[in-house]
Amino acid sequence: PCKTSHGAGCGQRTENPPALAVGSVNATNALIANWFPRKKGWVMGITTAGMMAASFTSVLFITVYSPKIGFTNVCYFLAAVIAMLGVVSLKWIVDTPEQCGLLPDNMPLTEREQQEFGGGTARQDWTARNLICSKDGMCYIVGFGLLFIATTGGITAFVPYMLERGYSQVDAVGLMSLTSLFSLAGSFIMGVLDTRLGTKKASLIFAALYVIGYSGAFALTGIDKLFLLPLWLAMASGGANANLMASTLVSQYGRANYASVWSVLFTGASLIRNLCYLLIGAIASLSGTYARVYLFWGIISAFSFVLLAVSNFKYRPAPQN
């Protein structure tokens, strides 16, 4: 990035570039919100692709090395890598570009952008009550919470669903890893849509893909191999969940307020997401098949679509108490 007085592309580098790869998606998204408010969707589409890559890289690493060095030692190794990233991040990470003489996206914010992104770096007094009791706050918690269930549940139920379809466990795990590769592209594409079309339109497209994909997989369950196409369509877009949950709050509450607002609304959505495993067990037990689990994911995604459609994704200041 360039120094403040220079335009984009001047070739100068800062002594403290922002580190995008950190040990927590919460911290990463807060960093992106401050550094890249204009292109937050595009940048998050790249960084959260790592979450999708973990689905197959971590499974492969644990599978290969657990028999050789033991599962406990594998955990120690992974903990050491995370600790190393934490130490390195202490030197590399700068919270905001203004702290080291730079500008968001390397360009001055226009007056319109000042309004859209919530002005400068001063935080506002958003209380948990103001957030949770607002219409948009509840739509966020329930809407993205249900999509969060469908994202986690789509991966969790995949292997037993494939075993029901007659696939071996090795083939089922292999297909899940292939799905994770598709998710890398899906995360990036949804990030581009977020930047080009806006966060609300991207969120609605994401929810619609879940409705079509999961409902389509259920409808085609009896047709060998063909049911995988809509299922892959839904799961390949799963990386967008982490992107859009963060990007929405940046759009609604601004750069400076993102971290504090996220701690309230994301926690609410996560509480709903924690029902995922209970729902999988209950639906599969009552219906006798994992196919109806995916039908349920399609139904709740349709409900999420409606909630997000009636939400206002534009910036709003904190209410004056």
Side-chain angles (χ1 to χ4, degrees), residues 46-289:
I46 296 174
T47 59
T48 56
M51 297 172 63
M52 301 298 105
S55 297
F56 59 90
T57 55
S58 61
V59 170
L60 179 62
F61 178 81
I62 293 172
T63 301
V64 171
Y65 286 97
S66 288
K68 297 181 179 180
I69 63 176
F71 180 74
T72 300
N73 289 327
V74 167
C75 293
Y76 286 151
F77 177 82
L78 295 176
V81 171
I82 294 173
M84 181 183 67
L85 288 173
V87 171
V88 171
S89 296
L90 291 175
K91 173 65 177 178
W92 282 358
I93 290 181
V94 178
D95 291 334
T96 66
E98 289 87 350
Q99 288 179 341
C100 52
L102 302 179
L103 290 172
D105 294 301
N106 205 35
M107 293 184 293
L109 292 174
T110 65
E111 184 176 348
R112 181 178 64 85
E113 289 171 339
Q114 287 278 0
Q115 296 175 349
E116 290 181 352
F117 305 142
T121 58
R123 295 181 181 179
Q124 296 179 344
D125 187 21
W126 278 100
T127 65
R129 180 179 179 180
N130 287 335
L131 293 170
I132 296 173
C133 294
S134 67
K135 183 200 74 173
D136 293 327
M138 288 305 302
C139 285
Y140 179 94
I141 290 174
V142 179
F144 277 109
L146 294 178
L147 290 176
F148 209 172
I149 288 178
T151 299
T152 305
I155 298 173
T156 303
F158 186 84
V159 171
Y161 178 57
M162 296 300 292
L163 294 178
E164 275 190 354
R165 309 277 72 78
Y167 289 80
S168 68
Q169 185 168 0
V170 173
D171 289 340
V173 173
L175 288 170
M176 184 178 72
S177 298
L178 183 60
T179 303
S180 298
L181 287 173
F182 294 156
S183 296
L184 297 179
S187 177
F188 177 76
I189 292 172
M190 292 303 297
V192 172
L193 292 177
D194 184 356
T195 301
R196 297 284 180 86
L197 303 180
T199 307
K200 182 170 185 174
K201 290 182 179 178
S203 298
L204 294 177
I205 291 172
F206 170 52
L209 288 175
Y210 267 15
V211 175
I212 296 170
Y214 287 136
S215 300
F218 172 77
L220 298 174
T221 291
I223 305 177
D224 188 34
K225 294 185 175 61
L226 190 59
F227 73 92
L228 281 170
L229 296 180
L231 186 57
W232 274 338
L233 174 68
M235 296 180 66
S237 60
N241 190 65
N243 302 0
L244 295 171
M245 291 185 76
S247 186
T248 295
L249 297 186
V250 179
S251 299
Q252 292 179 331
Y253 300 99
R255 299 167 59 210
N257 303 312
Y258 169 81
S260 58
V261 171
W262 171 269
S263 66
V264 176
L265 296 183
F266 178 76
T267 298
S270 296
L271 291 174
I272 293 179
R273 175 260 185 191
N274 289 338
L275 297 173
C276 171
Y277 308 107
L278 175 63
L279 289 172
I280 291 175
I283 296 170
S285 176
L286 292 173
S287 67
T289 174

